[in-house]
Amino acid sequence: MELILEYFPNLTAHQIEQFEALLPLYKDWNSKINVISRKDIDELYLRHVLHSLAIAKVMPFADGSSVLDVGTGGGFPGVPLAILFPECQFHLVDSINKKLKVINGVAEALNLENIRTTHSRVEAIDEQYDFIVSRAVTAMPEFTKWVKGKIKKEQKNTFKNGILYLKGGDLSEELKQYTTVKQFPLTDYFRENFFETKKVVYLPLKHK
């Protein structure tokens, strides 16, 4: 938890309470439905919470933004971002229903009213958003096919609407077809070794 406070020192008392509650909540849920590996649960704040919040370092969402989290798993990056941006709406989607049960339980315990979940493949979601976020569920060319037509036309943020993707390693081959893509190394924001090869990949997308 000290990590979160170090990198996000302007949290409200309520947000600090919500972030502090994440570890006991996920430990409890994980004992019933395994969504995080045993090794990772002990490093929840580094490997999941802070990693998710890297998106906020690159793009602090404007109030009223709508964000789709694709293949959210145990709720990352969506849950930490929903705590950080209470005036934004987060739609967390996963094709495995039991994972959403965990997220719904966590969101209810934290009174996170800006989260909703849907058990679905993302291709079947017929809505539009300011941004689409995810943690490395597939290669970018495949991902852009999944989310085609899901970006709003109106802009309200400093970046144009599009994808904010948490990925690691050398992405030059995977991203070579995209002329407008930008990579933000997480070592620019966090000093922990865990982030050494990790990035936020930003790809603006057209409305249609």
Side-chain angles (χ1 to χ4, degrees):
M1 187 58 207
E2 293 77 30
L3 273 178
I4 308 304
L5 290 168
E6 180 184 343
Y7 291 114
F8 294 89
N10 299 322
L11 298 175
T12 65
H14 183 54
Q15 286 172 317
I16 291 169
E17 274 178 29
Q18 289 176 312
F19 278 121
E20 282 176 338
L22 286 178
L23 185 59
L25 279 169
Y26 273 104
K27 277 192 165 174
D28 182 47
W29 274 106
N30 221 43
S31 65
K32 299 175 245 185
I33 299 169
N34 192 256
V35 289
I36 298 169
S37 75
R38 283 199 177 85
K39 184 180 78 175
D40 275 7
I41 197 82
D42 292 328
E43 295 201 62
L44 182 81
Y45 289 105
L46 173 70
R47 292 170 176 251
H48 295 281
V49 181
L50 194 58
H51 190 208
S52 298
L53 294 176
I55 287 172
K57 290 291 190 187
V58 171
M59 178 67 259
F61 298 120
D63 287 359
S65 295
S66 57
V67 181
L68 174 68
D69 178 1
V70 176
T72 186
F76 302 99
V79 169
L81 290 171
I83 295 173
L84 195 64
F85 299 107
E87 301 303 320
C88 298
Q89 296 300 315
F90 291 85
H91 188 185
L92 279 56
V93 174
D94 204 282
S95 59
I96 300 172
N97 201 27
K98 67 178 184 179
K99 293 181 177 179
L100 299 178
K101 191 177 173 186
V102 174
I103 297 165
N104 290 334
V106 169
E108 194 178 330
L110 297 177
N111 202 22
L112 283 174
E113 293 177 356
N114 60 336
I115 280 182
R116 63 190 170 104
T117 60
T118 301
H119 173 222
S120 172
R121 292 185 62 80
V122 68
E123 298 96 317
I125 300 291
D126 187 22
E127 294 180 51
Q128 293 183 333
Y129 308 85
D130 296 298
F131 285 95
I132 296 167
V133 300
S134 191
R135 278 212 301 185
V137 289
T138 187
M140 188 64 93
E142 183 73 7
F143 192 73
T144 53
K145 280 186 211 159
W146 291 358
V147 301
K148 193 172 165 51
K150 294 180 182 18
I151 289 290
K152 284 183 179 176
K153 189 175 186 179
E154 307 75 29
Q155 311 278 337
K156 57 165 72 82
N157 286 275
T158 51
F159 285 14
K160 287 183 176 174
N161 296 350
I163 293 169
L164 290 160
Y165 209 24
L166 290 163
K167 294 216 76 171
D170 180 2
L171 304 173
S172 49
E173 188 63 29
E174 181 180 329
L175 301 175
K176 67 180 181 185
Q177 65 179 278
Y178 303 106
T179 55
T180 56
V181 77
K182 287 185 179 165
Q183 297 184 49
F184 296 86
L186 299 197
T187 48
D188 288 355
Y189 309 100
F190 309 133
R191 63 171 183 278
E192 286 70 24
N193 291 340
F194 174 72
F195 298 108
E196 216 155 83
T197 62
K198 293 180 170 55
K199 305 172 182 82
V200 171
V201 178
Y202 165 60
L203 180 66
L205 288 184
K206 288 196 170 71
H207 164 54
K208 283 289 183 191

